[in-house]
Amino acid sequence: MKFTTSTVASVLCISAAFAAPIAERQATITDADILQYALTLEHLENVFYKGAISSMPESDFVAAGFTSEYYTNLKYIAHDEEQHVQLLTSALSAAGAMPVAACTYKFPYKDPKSFVTLASILEGVGTSAYLGSAGLITDKTYLGVAGSILVTEALHTSLQRFNLGEVAPANPYGTALGLNPVFTLAAGFIVSCPSTNAPLPVKAFPALMATQGIPAAPGITFTFSVATALPSSFFVTFVSGLSTTSVAPTMSGDMIVAVIPATAMGQTYVFLTNMNVTSSIADSMIINGPAILEVTPPSPTFDTAEM
């Protein structure tokens, strides 16, 4: 059961979130801020899974081609996400902070297939979020907790990818994503949040939309669109695993055209940047994005002579 990029795009129509539903602030980031940020994401996943299980019974998933074992795993994932919410809530309370509460969400799935596709994407973003924020955590105990949750989120990601017919370990390395790019993606699912929630030290970037409906693979020309004015010079930058690769685009009318680089494998984040990025991408480089592509990895290679 494999879904094309068009299916991904149909469930990931994320707006630019210019008027973001989460209160924003720009300030020095503390460990408490990171915990609030993580709790914001865990609330989203917690509501996402519980809503699907409550509205779609096991028979719906089986009729859509999934197994009863998969549905059982969904219930375990829902359990995990609730545990994450409870743990982070307790940690913030113990630190003297008021934990953020769950928001009101809108998820664009309509059936089991679109739910599982979106679940795979959200789990990938969650894994990238924990990996990207790890370097900002100063307390080693908090860092250990974040690492423990990251492992579980990665297991969730592999489960969802496998059940979509995708390569579960599509990239040898995890892909880190910064606070603001993750917030840009998450804000598209959030309708409103309680006014008592603490502001987060984040901001949303203008959206970048992948508009092409064919499977993505290295060497394929892909198109993107934006709702904002473009500068005279920019790059399309692909972030995948430990690789960041910028491509000089061309224009076809209002569409931005770029060739997917060989470094892109699996869930890949795409940005418009104001420079050719050759290392880690910084917020100051980002014009639009991220968009998300599922890029088919090349066939695996390994040397049996090293046995």
Side-chain angles (χ1 to χ4, degrees):
M1 183 179 296
K2 194 172 182 68
F3 298 102
T4 66
T5 301
S6 60
T7 309
V8 173
S10 70
V11 298
L12 198 63
C13 296
I14 297 175
S15 65
F18 294 110
I22 299 176
E24 306 172 21
R25 66 176 175 84
Q26 290 297 298
T28 302
I29 297 173
T30 66
D31 284 351
D33 291 327
I34 298 299
L35 293 182
Q36 296 281 32
Y37 162 83
L39 181 55
T40 299
L41 301 178
E42 294 294 350
H43 275 311
L44 186 152
E45 289 186 309
N46 187 35
V47 173
F48 173 71
Y49 280 105
K50 288 180 178 177
I53 291 172
S54 299
S55 62
M56 294 184 291
E58 178 181 333
S59 57
D60 287 358
F61 283 84
V62 172
F66 299 98
T67 64
S68 294
E69 290 76 14
Y70 172 76
Y71 193 77
T72 298
N73 275 288
L74 274 188
K75 291 188 284 187
Y76 275 105
I77 293 176
H79 167 82
D80 291 349
E81 303 301 356
E82 182 179 86
Q83 292 295 307
H84 296 168
V85 167
Q86 292 175 357
L87 178 63
L88 292 169
T89 297
S90 296
L92 282 160
S93 296
M98 179 181 292
V100 295
C103 300
T104 300
Y105 309 97
K106 183 177 181 180
F107 299 109
Y109 65 82
K110 60 184 183 298
D111 52 36
K113 290 182 179 179
S114 57
F115 164 78
V116 179
T117 302
L118 182 54
S120 174
I121 294 167
L122 288 180
E123 291 291 359
V125 172
T127 304
S128 294
Y130 276 101
L131 187 57
S133 63
L136 301 174
I137 300 173
T138 59
D139 186 285
K140 290 185 178 180
T141 299
Y142 290 156
L143 181 59
V145 170
S148 180
I149 295 176
L150 187 157
V151 170
T152 303
E153 298 292 348
L155 291 171
H156 296 172
T157 303
S158 291
L159 174 76
Q160 302 295 9
R161 292 181 61 84
F162 177 79
N163 279 278
L164 287 173
E166 297 171 349
V167 177
N171 196 306
Y173 308 102
T175 305
L177 205 57
L179 301 184
N180 290 333
V182 170
F183 174 70
T184 301
L185 295 170
F189 301 108
I190 299 173
V191 177
S192 63
C193 291
S195 60
T196 53
N197 277 6
L200 296 176
V202 291
K203 67 176 183 179
F205 295 111
L208 174 66
M209 294 300 298
T211 59
Q212 199 155 321
I214 63 172
I220 287 180
T221 299
F222 221 82
T223 58
F224 304 88
S225 66
V226 297
T228 54
L230 290 169
S232 58
S233 177
F234 63 92
F235 291 84
V236 179
T237 299
F238 297 79
V239 180
S240 182
L242 298 178
S243 299
T244 302
T245 306
S246 291
V247 175
T250 59
M251 297 297 297
S252 178
D254 293 333
M255 295 294 176
I256 302 161
V257 183
V259 176
I260 299 174
T263 53
M265 292 177 278
Q267 184 158 310
T268 298
Y269 304 105
V270 187
F271 299 85
L272 299 189
T273 58
N274 56 20
M275 61 183 295
N276 182 356
V277 185
T278 57
S279 57
S280 298
I281 191 167
D283 287 345
S284 60
M285 304 172 184
I286 298 172
I287 302 170
N288 293 76
I292 298 178
L293 296 185
E294 176 58 39
V295 182
T296 302
S299 297
T301 59
F302 43 89
D303 186 0
T304 57
E306 295 181 357
M307 294 175 60

